[in-house]
Amino acid sequence: MKPINILLVEDNPGDVLLAQIAFEKSRFDVNVQVATDGEEALEFLFKKGRFAGTNTPDLILLDLNLPAKSGSEVLADLKSDERLKVIPVIILTTSQAEWDIIQCYKLHANCFVNKPFGFDSFDAVVTCIEDFWFNIVRLPAN
Amino acid sequence: MDAASNHSVRILILEHEPDDIELLQYELKKGGLHYSSEVVQERETFTQALKDFKPDIVLSDYALPDFDGASAFYIKKEISPDTPFIIVSGTIGDENAVELIKAGVTDYLLKEKLFMVVPKIDRALKESREHREKKAQEEQLASYARELERSNKELEEFAYLASHDLQEPLRMVGSFLQLLQQRYQDRLDGQANEYIYYAVEGAARMKRLINDLLNYSRTKREWLIEQVDITCTVRDALQNLAASVNESGAVVHYENMPVLAADPGQMLQLFQNLIGNAIKFRKKDGKPVINISASKMNASWLFAVEDNGIGIHQQYSDKIFVIFKKLHGKERYEGTGIGLAIAKKIVERHGGKIWFESLPGQGTTFYFTLNPPINETDQYSAG
């Protein structure tokens, strides 16, 4: 089975580490790439500069609170590109604001998930994400 | 300023007939008015006098050779809109008088009734003063209201931001402590594990506090008024509390609940908090029995939520409604101590009061009033 590539766009190193720990335990073969801000994420996805020749991720986990370019701006850019818009984007954020939720769905985020409190809950969410997106859902063969 | 005060009333007289001027001055003196006056005849001198002399009131003839009272009035309206303006005329005609009064002229005085000049001046000045005061009060009130609105909004935003921003670092603390607890348990001694336990516990409690703070600050926000059937409210509250109701075997009686105008979400929160407390603070080996009743008192409703729980000492009557204040250690009863603070906020938002009567060891009854806005045919619900 070929490895699944996930792009995690997250600026908080603590949250990056938690995500990596959670995906490490996965029964799937998951390769987590990390971009620590919006610009880097887009460069990676457009395979610009040092990112030439990298894999296109199968799934994107996107935080909203990013420095400089915000998560929703990145989302808008992604979903307006013909090639990148097919990659499922999961918004993973602490914000519970109704406005953020609506905005993200309007910008065609595939779903909106709150980062839960405590590692166990976070782990459970990650397991859920894997089960759904890698097991139940059909993704394009690319 | 009026005749009764010691201040001299400044009168600007627009009149060209010397005889009429003399008569006017005669009646003013005869009326006992303390005044000083300036007499003008033309547009330019009238306009200048308004600015320089700054009269408290204008007495104007209706028709002059090169000018007229109506034009003078409009000039005065431009320069000093609040100064009273009385037309003095022999030949004004009813329609013209009505037109002018509609346009804002304070009063008119017939030349054959010149003796009325001082009472009319008094009345005009009095009304003008009262109008000024009322305007000042309204402006003051509007200013307070704006400031309050602004301050409230700021506070809400602050509470939201503070709790929102506090969550992230807290998540870090909570998550990594938990990981430490799980993955290093075998490598640490009992004491270290105990330290970690309290740290994890502390982070979790702080998380709950922040959530409750967010809820508390939100309680001010959306504020609907609809017809709320309290029977349904209580039913919904009990459904939300299903777990503790089942666990405790609680029995809740609630007949004859009214339908009244209120915010449905807040009513639910209110009843849920009170019933939840009644169940939580039950006697050790007792089954909670809770009676909810309602009665109409004039325009308001009086509710009572009675329980057979552990009771509260009356000396804490003020403390228990304070946010985050608890009467028991956190080990004994869980919760952040915000339930009653929210309940009080909701009751007060509905124009009511909340208090309790209690016998420690026997039970407590929480009373609260609700004042639904105006009429609405409040009735008892169909159940």
Side-chain angles (χ1 to χ4, degrees), chain B residues 35-241:
Chain B
Y35 73 98
S36 63
S37 64
E38 202 170 292
V39 182
V40 292
Q41 277 102 17
E42 299 132 10
R43 173 182 297 255
E44 290 75 32
T45 43
F46 174 74
T47 308
Q48 204 56 46
L50 276 177
K51 297 181 189 159
D52 300 336
F53 180 57
K54 293 202 194 24
D56 300 308
I57 188 163
V58 175
L59 295 179
S60 169
D61 193 5
Y62 186 60
L64 299 110
D66 299 308
F67 199 26
D68 65 280
S71 306
F73 170 68
Y74 287 111
I75 293 174
K76 176 223 73 103
K77 200 168 164 175
E78 266 297 310
I79 296 175
S80 48
D82 296 325
T83 306
F85 190 99
I86 299 182
I87 296 257
V88 183
S89 175
T91 56
I92 190 171
D94 282 336
E95 299 124 40
N96 292 326
V98 166
E99 279 309 307
L100 286 169
I101 300 279
K102 271 197 202 166
V105 163
T106 313
D107 205 347
Y108 73 89
L109 177 66
L110 292 171
K111 279 187 179 164
E112 62 246 31
K113 301 225 176 126
L114 220 53
F115 61 88
M116 291 286 289
V117 67
V118 173
K120 280 195 183 260
I121 288 178
D122 280 346
R123 191 169 81 175
L125 289 172
K126 180 157 169 268
E127 275 173 15
S128 168
R129 189 187 64 236
E130 282 169 359
H131 178 77
R132 266 200 314 274
E133 281 168 5
K134 184 162 174 243
K135 258 180 82 175
Q137 264 176 12
E138 282 171 3
E139 182 45 47
Q140 178 79 287
L141 218 61
S143 168
Y144 282 154
R146 277 193 301 273
E147 179 56 35
L148 200 64
E149 175 93 36
R150 193 196 60 82
S151 173
N152 276 347
K153 193 154 185 287
E154 226 176 54
L155 216 60
E156 265 173 42
E157 279 170 15
F158 173 75
Y160 176 77
L161 279 171
S163 23
H164 181 261
D165 288 343
L166 284 170
Q167 287 190 56
E168 197 274 319
L170 194 59
R171 262 185 51 254
M172 294 292 102
V173 172
S175 303
F176 285 103
L177 275 172
Q178 207 175 29
L179 271 170
L180 200 60
Q181 196 179 42
Q182 286 170 9
R183 300 190 165 198
Y184 289 85
Q185 219 165 31
D186 326 317
R187 279 177 268 183
L188 295 165
D189 65 1
Q191 201 157 56
N193 281 324
E194 199 186 342
Y195 294 166
I196 293 176
Y197 169 75
Y198 283 119
V200 170
E201 235 280 294
R205 249 185 308 125
M206 182 150 172
K207 161 77 176 166
R208 287 196 294 269
L209 274 167
I210 291 179
N211 265 350
D212 284 348
L213 199 62
L214 255 172
N215 280 336
Y216 182 72
S217 75
R218 273 200 215 111
T219 310
K220 249 192 193 283
R221 286 206 152 231
E222 296 94 35
W223 174 229
L224 297 159
I225 302 270
E226 0 182 296
Q227 288 297 309
V228 181
D229 187 340
I230 300 292
T231 306
C232 298
T233 306
V234 176
R235 210 176 283 155
D236 290 341
L238 289 173
Q239 199 149 12
N240 291 341
L241 293 165

Side-chain angles (χ1 to χ4, degrees), chain B residues 294-330:
Chain B
S295 53
K296 195 129 202 288
M297 286 183 354
N298 303 321
S300 35
W301 285 93
L302 171 64
F303 289 87
V305 179
E306 181 194 354
D307 67 54
N308 60 343
I310 60 175
I312 312 168
H313 283 284
Q314 209 68 35
Q315 66 186 122
Y316 299 121
S317 48
D318 292 324
K319 271 197 176 159
I320 62 171
F321 293 107
V322 174
I323 184 173
F324 293 150
K325 194 92 190 115
K326 298 165 77 177
L327 299 179
H328 306 275
K330 61 169 164 53

Side-chain angles (χ1 to χ4, degrees), chain A residues 18-83:
Chain A
L18 286 173
Q20 285 171 332
I21 295 174
F23 279 109
E24 236 163 50
K25 308 162 72 233
S26 171
R27 59 190 176 105
F28 297 95
D29 182 7
V30 177
N31 173 35
V32 180
Q33 287 290 127
V34 180
T36 55
D37 64 63
E39 281 302 339
E40 194 185 337
L42 289 170
E43 272 176 35
F44 177 84
L45 288 163
F46 284 112
K47 304 194 210 283
K48 292 209 181 116
R50 59 192 166 111
F51 295 120
T54 52
N55 284 318
T56 307
D58 302 294
L59 186 69
I60 300 174
L61 294 172
L62 178 60
D63 185 19
L64 287 181
N65 287 336
L66 299 170
K69 209 170 179 122
S70 73
S72 45
E73 287 175 315
V74 175
L75 179 62
D77 286 350
L78 286 182
K79 291 302 182 182
S80 51
D81 179 86
E82 277 310 303
R83 188 179 61 91

